[in-house]
Amino acid sequence: MARLPEYLRALHNLAETGNETVSSEGLANAAGVNSAKLRKDLSHLGSYGTRGVGYDVALLIEQIEYVLGLTQRRAVALVGVGNLGHALAGYDGFASRGFRIAALLDADPARVGEEIHGMVVRHVDELPQVAAEESIAIGVIATPASAAQRVADQLVAVGVTSILNFAPCVLSVPDGVDVRKVDLAIELQILSFHEHRKASLTGLPRTGGSALTALPGGLAVTEGQEAIGT
Amino acid sequence: MARLPEYLRALHNLAETGNETVSSEGLANAAGVNSAKLRKDLSHLGSYGTRGVGYDVALLIEQIEYVLGLTQRRAVALVGVGNLGHALAGYDGFASRGFRIAALLDADPARVGEEIHGMVVRHVDELPQVAAEESIAIGVIATPASAAQRVADQLVAVGVTSILNFAPCVLSVPDGVDVRKVDLAIELQILSFHEHRKASLTGLPRTGGSALTALPGGLAVTEGQEAIGT
DNA sequence: CGCGATTTGTGCACGTCTTCACAAGCGCCT
DNA sequence: AGGCGCTTGTGAAGACGTGCACAAATCGCG
Ligand SMILES: NC(=O)c1ccc[n+]([C@@H]2O[C@H](COP(=O)([O-])OP(=O)(O)OC[C@H]3O[C@@H](n4cnc5c(N)ncnc54)[C@H](O)[C@@H]3O)[C@@H](O)[C@H]2O)c1
Ligand SMILES: NC(=O)c1ccc[n+]([C@@H]2O[C@H](COP(=O)([O-])OP(=O)(O)OC[C@H]3O[C@@H](n4cnc5c(N)ncnc54)[C@H](O)[C@@H]3O)[C@@H](O)[C@H]2O)c1
């Protein structure tokens, strides 16, 4: 499930504060989900809880990390060392979560050779060599949208089967290749939508709203963390 | 729906390439979704298509932008002008998608006063004044996780009801406040999970796998763009 | 004017996810 | 040893999202 990483982070926090065990309710709170949901999720990866006690934090971390494939530190290739790429290259959250930036790549000759956080930027056409040197598990695309598809093709060509795409466009990849997208503008627009909806509700409490704003049941925006109680 | 922004982007692309109308299938392809799903989505905001012809691109853009509340350019306050904050501040995708960075805020005195892309960084404690100057619609948190909850509280205190959180932690906010989270590590871990699963399947084709890797029906990871055909 | 090609809008069925509620199990205390 | 409180694991029901398949509607053309 997509919630496993969330649980993992919460578990690490708990481990740091000295907790040995945690109840489903406690962990659910820390991860911001329903406790029944959490129990069902965990039950899917086997039974690692003790009734009356809870889950062993260390054991659970181990199990989740195994399921997520974090037992091996995966190599990440970052393509596009611009505005965003610089920030990503300097992000320590990679290393602390089981990943390692193995290469920085860019197409701009002016950028190639530049050293960022101890890593030298190489040209994107060197991708085959980079992949030969060490197995790239994940490719991160931080180029403009116009170049994203081409970069994706290059990544796929050297055997990368997982891509994280920051460019605002859809990528076409062969079967067996996973693509996940992070699009800032989409997130903002979803928030804007909610703002608009909230404004319509408070502003015109009785008109019923147009068919556009007051949709039947409200437009469901999936995956939202949405208004966790105080 | 959360897919509306995706449609909107595809529509803008189509408009730029001179298309007047688009069929549900065409737009679905451009947005990477099923055509039936797209039609159902669009039908929820009223009927703006013409049978036998398709949808009027310009009209549809207008309608979606209205639903998303993009008719007014919303002001965004960015809190935490560090590594990531700098990249965000320089991102032109804000402006081109209906948003405007109205303020840059940070707690570090060394950062306050710094000028980034024509905007001067102000202290986070000036948030009330900033909010008074102009109505902040959305707050973006790009601070370390340890400060995120505090910043969220400050944002809520000045009336912000939509928050985009880049810090890897769950935020507690009152009812009526929407929070969306972008967590890079989670995205990578989901990809890692798929990598692990793929490796298990090809490596041990017949063992059936442990209960951990070969879950019944496979673990569903929602929202994935996942392997769109060539 | 009528007909066929095309495309939308939607009823329906199916699978998935979510949540409640509770029995079964475990540990602790007496 | 037994009882009691707490917590897990799960069955069942409901809500929800998805996709198929088709009727209704529109346009262009003869
Ligand atoms: N800056 C942000 O905060 C931000 C936020 C969200 C999404 N994005 C998206 O991330 C992408 C990058 O944004 P940015 O602000 O860093 O842009 P940028 O222009 O600063 O950087 C893009 C980099 O990609 C390189 N590049 C171009 N074509 C390439 C190719 N074919 N192969 C390899 N490298 C290539 C360029 O040389 C440049 O260094 C854009 O698609 C943008 O929409 C940016
Ligand atoms: N850098 C990345 O690529 C990246 C990617 C994903 C997520 N993140 C997350 O984004 C957040 C920021 O990352 P970063 O690399 O920019 O870190 P950073 O340390 O470079 O920047 C953090 C900034 O927040 C400021 N800050 C600290 N406390 C504050 C407060 N109470 N109020 C206002 N400002 C405050 C600091 O002064 C600093 O300027 C972190 O939570 C990180 O996990 C970063």
Side-chain angles (χ1 to χ4, degrees):
Chain A
M1 304 273 187
R3 287 183 293 268
L4 251 34
E6 198 78 45
Y7 301 158
L8 187 58
R9 193 178 44 67
L11 283 166
H12 273 128
N13 284 351
L14 288 168
E16 274 173 24
T17 54
N19 292 289
E20 294 264 324
T21 64
V22 64
S23 72
S24 64
E25 195 122 12
L27 182 54
N29 266 15
V33 300
N34 186 298
S35 70
K37 197 191 302 188
L38 181 135
R39 283 201 300 277
K40 190 148 289 193
D41 285 348
L42 294 187
S43 76
H44 281 298
L45 28 124
S47 300
Y48 292 101
T50 310
R51 296 177 191 226
V53 177
Y55 298 89
D56 182 283
V57 172
L59 177 62
L60 200 51
I61 286 177
E62 200 176 317
Q63 292 302 332
I64 293 182
E65 288 191 341
Y66 174 71
V67 174
L68 292 180
L70 300 178
T71 46
Q72 48 182 309
R73 173 162 293 246
R74 295 184 183 273
V76 175
L78 173 58
V79 186
V81 193
N83 231 335
L84 179 61
H86 265 87
L88 294 176
Y91 184 37
D92 56 354
F94 277 115
S96 64
R97 306 283 199 93
F99 299 93
R100 183 174 55 85
I101 297 191
L104 302 178
L105 304 162
D106 204 296
D108 187 348
R111 280 241 156 75
V112 174
E114 185 181 348
E115 188 176 317
I116 302 175
H117 285 84
M119 296 209 59
V120 54
V121 177
R122 303 172 67 172
H123 195 279
V124 67
D125 290 340
E126 289 184 49
L127 203 46
Q129 289 92 311
V130 171
E133 290 164 20
E134 54 187 327
S135 165
I136 302 293
I138 298 175
V140 176
I141 299 179
T143 68
S146 53
Q149 181 63 57
R150 180 185 165 75
V151 170
D153 293 341
Q154 291 178 288
L155 286 169
V156 169
V158 301
V160 173
T161 53
S162 291
I163 295 176
L164 182 57
N165 179 28
F166 283 91
C169 63
V170 299
L171 296 180
S172 294
V173 295
D175 276 9
V177 177
D178 287 300
V179 175
R180 289 192 71 83
K181 189 182 29 156
V182 174
D183 191 332
L184 187 43
I186 287 184
E187 301 300 324
L188 287 176
Q189 288 177 353
I190 291 173
L191 286 173
S192 171
F193 164 70
H194 282 129
E195 280 293 307
H196 188 212
R197 205 168 49 81
K198 280 183 281 196
S200 307
L201 292 178
T202 57
L204 336 160
R206 281 194 42 74
T207 60
S210 75
L212 289 168
T213 56
L215 298 164
L219 284 181
V221 175
T222 56
E223 187 105 8
Q225 182 195 0
E226 201 127 343
I228 294 182
T230 58
Chain B
M1 303 276 187
R3 288 184 291 268
L4 252 35
E6 199 78 45
Y7 302 158
L8 187 58
R9 193 177 44 67
L11 283 166
H12 273 127
N13 284 350
L14 287 167
E16 276 173 24
T17 54
N19 292 290
E20 294 265 326
T21 64
V22 64
S23 73
S24 63
E25 196 122 11
L27 182 53
N29 267 14
V33 300
N34 185 297
S35 70
K37 198 191 301 190
L38 180 136
R39 284 200 301 276
K40 191 151 290 191
D41 286 347
L42 294 187
S43 77
H44 280 296
L45 29 121
S47 300
Y48 292 101
T50 310
R51 298 175 189 226
V53 177
Y55 298 90
D56 184 282
V57 172
L59 177 61
L60 200 49
I61 287 177
E62 200 176 317
Q63 292 302 332
I64 293 182
E65 287 191 342
Y66 174 71
V67 174
L68 292 180
L70 300 177
T71 45
Q72 48 181 308
R73 174 161 292 245
R74 295 185 183 274
V76 174
L78 174 58
V79 186
V81 192
N83 229 334
L84 178 62
H86 265 86
L88 294 175
Y91 184 40
D92 56 354
F94 277 113
S96 64
R97 306 282 201 93
F99 300 92
R100 185 174 54 83
I101 297 191
L104 302 178
L105 303 162
D106 204 297
D108 186 348
R111 281 240 156 74
V112 174
E114 185 182 346
E115 189 175 317
I116 302 174
H117 285 83
M119 296 211 59
V120 55
V121 177
R122 303 172 67 172
H123 195 277
V124 66
D125 290 341
E126 288 185 51
L127 203 46
Q129 289 92 311
V130 171
E133 290 164 20
E134 54 188 327
S135 166
I136 303 291
I138 297 174
V140 175
I141 300 179
T143 68
S146 54
Q149 180 62 57
R150 180 185 165 76
V151 169
D153 292 342
Q154 289 178 291
L155 285 169
V156 170
V158 301
V160 173
T161 54
S162 291
I163 294 176
L164 181 56
N165 179 30
F166 284 91
C169 64
V170 299
L171 296 180
S172 294
V173 296
D175 277 8
V177 177
D178 287 301
V179 175
R180 289 193 70 83
K181 189 184 28 156
V182 174
D183 191 331
L184 186 43
I186 286 185
E187 301 299 326
L188 288 177
Q189 289 178 353
I190 291 173
L191 287 173
S192 171
F193 165 70
H194 282 129
E195 280 292 308
H196 188 211
R197 205 168 51 80
K198 279 183 280 196
S200 306
L201 291 178
T202 57
L204 338 160
R206 282 194 41 74
T207 61
S210 75
L212 289 166
T213 56
L215 296 165
L219 284 181
V221 175
T222 55
E223 188 103 11
Q225 183 195 358
E226 200 128 343
I228 293 180
T230 59

